[in-house]
Amino acid sequence: ERLLPAPADLPDVALNPNAAVVLAKRYYRKGASGEQLEDARDMFWRVASAIAAEETKYEASTWKHEDLAREFYDLMTGWRFLPNSPTLMNAGTDLGQLSACFVLPVGDSIEEIFDAVKHAAMIHKSGGGTGFSFSRLRPKESRVGSTGGVASGPISFLRIFNTATEQIKQGGTRRGANMGILRIDHPDIMDFIRAKERDGEFNNFNLSVALTEAFMQAVENDEDYPLIAPHSGLEKGRLKAREVFELLVRKAWESGDPGIVFIDRINRDNPTPDQGEIESTNPCGEQPLLPYEACNLGSVNLSAFFIPGHENDPNPADKGVDWKALKRVIHLGVRFLDNVIDASRFPLERITERVHQNRKIGLGVMGWADLLFQLRIAYDSPEALHLGERMMAFVRDEGRAASKQLAKERGPFPAYPASTFAERDLGPYRNATVTTIAPTGTLSILAGCSSGIEPLFALSFARHVMDGERLVEVNPHFEAAARAEGCHSPRLMETVASKGSIHGMDHLPEAMRRVFVTAMDIEPVWHLKMQAAFQQYTDNAVSKTVNLPNNATIEDIRNIYWMAYEEGCKGVTVYRDGCKSVQVLCTGDGE
Ligand code: CDP
């Protein structure tokens, strides 16, 4: 009844070659001996009909199951909207766990620590990623009451989580991803900042330091600040804020790790503070969650809403973007994600309860850099920032309108009366949060668009997808522009493939060089400004890497960190080219 048979006239799916590889390898359902049980049409119909089925239990709904399933099918197979990977993999299957993001509490006892290890394993097995704060663990060498021994401290327990993760494949397909967070005022903070110094250590973790407002002020005023033992509340020493901040900056310069999150700012936007504090985010940092909370994400492909022919208008986005169609997709996307909450089966009862109480969803965008290419707007321009703000304000406003509509049909999220929305008399909404900008690492491959709000890494590049597999691709908008400008040649495409960028290729038209910029051509501050522009209109957070060239200085990173603080970002991740041995994305050089 949940999975309708596919209608005979259901259109086939046009897959790009990369999508075909990724889907076959990781997404299609497989039989006991590894044989493929479905193709793209089967898969998207399975997802569409399972998610649309949830609609039928709401009396106020005006949708028929099959009609909505067809809408969802068109949405996905037209590459206009995709839900996060676990939804694609597991909707309508026995596993049925559909969320990408979880946060688990780690309490200060052996029982609680190993409960968290176990629960993380269960979540990884179901395809989700986990975030933890280790801030509640007593520091190393503090006394342990029951034995008279001494505690091992957060870093040593972190190693256990890392090892456990190593052994479990997420949803049977990918190794688990984790976020580990420690507060800046934890006595073991210096060890934590240095934890990834040795190559390969904590390889299943992203680490972030939770910076407090008090700490940032101490940096600003060049003061020291107290380290507090979480179990006793006692001060365990003081550090000079600027020295710690400098170490953070230097580590980020050396290896990109750890990142930083502004934890007080995250809590200022916590819609349900009566349920406790937010201590951690999901693995990639875009989704702050309460302990035992989970969230499912979905992303709209902005480049699918481009209308050709207005590239030379003074404001190309006015008529060059199909705002009406975008609005419709946002509304359907919110309905889809709210249905996903009902369809998902979580590995722990406490997670189910929390999720159903707050009903957080994270609608975001991808294909942003592609849309800018299509509109002939340079990523590193005030115009692009302005359009970014307009775009995300539109997604947030329409997303909230859709959530309001769902509240009318289905009731507000149960924790609404005690939420900050009720307090501010905004609402009622169906979802405690509506918007999140995810990295869209695999979704963007499926949709054949640029990821999240990132600029293109290269106009042509090789992608290491998994197990050393390598896919080469030229950005289609660049290729089309080169043809239109009459400068397309196999030789040009080859040069671009080895360099990644057309920076400095003076024989190409100036306007083309201005628009077709890559992550490496862009001054780092523009990365940050773009993140801040989107963050302003995002309920949760924005996944963004500020890419820096290899010759970027420590000073550059300090400026980026400080700017992230001043511009209202919730965190920041930097990556200096070439500073780690393994990169997920590579330009042709040195391959
Ligand atoms: O594109 P896809 O839906 O596969 O994922 P993404 O947008 O790159 O990542 C979104 C979130 O999925 C991450 O922040 C993690 O919470 C989770 N994730 C994970 O658990 N394991 C991975 N290998 C990748 C993503």
Side-chain angles (χ1 to χ4, degrees), residues 358-577:
N358 300 331
R359 305 192 66 89
K360 285 185 182 167
I361 57 171
L363 183 74
V365 299
M366 56 184 168
W368 170 239
D370 278 343
L371 179 66
L372 292 175
F373 281 172
Q374 289 163 302
L375 294 169
R376 301 289 188 270
I377 298 174
Y379 189 100
D380 52 343
S381 68
E383 242 184 312
L385 290 184
H386 181 73
L387 180 58
E389 288 181 2
R390 177 174 167 197
M391 183 60 79
M392 201 56 209
F394 188 81
V395 175
R396 184 195 64 179
D397 293 347
E398 292 305 332
R400 286 186 177 172
S403 185
K404 260 191 179 159
Q405 172 60 29
L406 288 178
K408 275 193 203 132
E409 291 175 25
R410 308 172 170 190
F413 63 96
Y416 170 76
S419 73
T420 58
F421 296 116
E423 212 172 276
R424 288 178 290 157
D425 212 10
L426 296 166
Y429 291 101
R430 177 67 173 160
N431 313 92
T433 65
V434 176
T435 42
T436 302
I437 300 183
T440 68
T442 3
L443 298 189
S444 61
I445 300 178
L446 300 184
C449 66
S450 57
S451 54
I453 59 159
E454 297 289 358
L456 260 281
F457 189 78
L459 295 175
S460 164
F461 60 91
R463 218 193 257 271
H464 293 282
V465 187
M466 63 210 97
D467 308 340
E469 191 131 347
R470 192 169 171 274
L471 303 167
V472 177
E473 56 193 76
V474 180
N475 179 270
H477 311 296
F478 169 65
E479 194 163 2
R483 283 186 201 283
E485 297 284 336
C487 53
H488 186 283
S489 72
R491 187 153 157 264
L492 174 69
M493 291 302 139
E494 227 163 82
T495 320
V496 176
S498 74
K499 290 202 185 326
S501 153
I502 55 173
H503 184 78
M505 293 190 186
D506 294 341
H507 58 288
L508 296 178
E510 154 91 46
M512 204 169 145
R513 279 183 284 139
R514 181 66 194 101
V515 168
F516 289 91
V517 288
T518 65
M520 286 300 158
D521 304 332
I522 294 169
E523 286 291 324
V525 294
W526 287 101
H527 283 270
L528 204 278
K529 284 183 185 174
M530 192 60 80
Q531 179 181 337
F534 276 84
Q535 179 62 70
Q536 238 181 298
Y537 301 97
T538 305
D539 295 341
N540 294 299
V542 176
S543 167
K544 175 88 190 69
T545 302
V546 175
N547 277 102
L548 297 122
N550 186 262
N551 64 5
T553 62
I554 288 187
E555 171 88 30
D556 292 333
I557 293 192
R558 188 187 307 121
N559 289 341
I560 291 294
Y561 272 24
W562 202 257
M563 224 176 123
Y565 175 62
E566 290 191 324
E567 297 265 332
C569 295
K570 290 190 174 167
V572 62
T573 305
V574 299
Y575 182 74
R576 190 168 61 89
D577 190 36

Side-chain angles (χ1 to χ4, degrees), residues 287-306:
Q287 186 62 52
L289 291 170
L290 292 162
Y292 292 118
E293 211 172 15
C295 184
N296 69 91
L297 313 176
S299 299
V300 171
N301 173 10
L302 296 177
S303 75
F305 297 89
F306 170 68

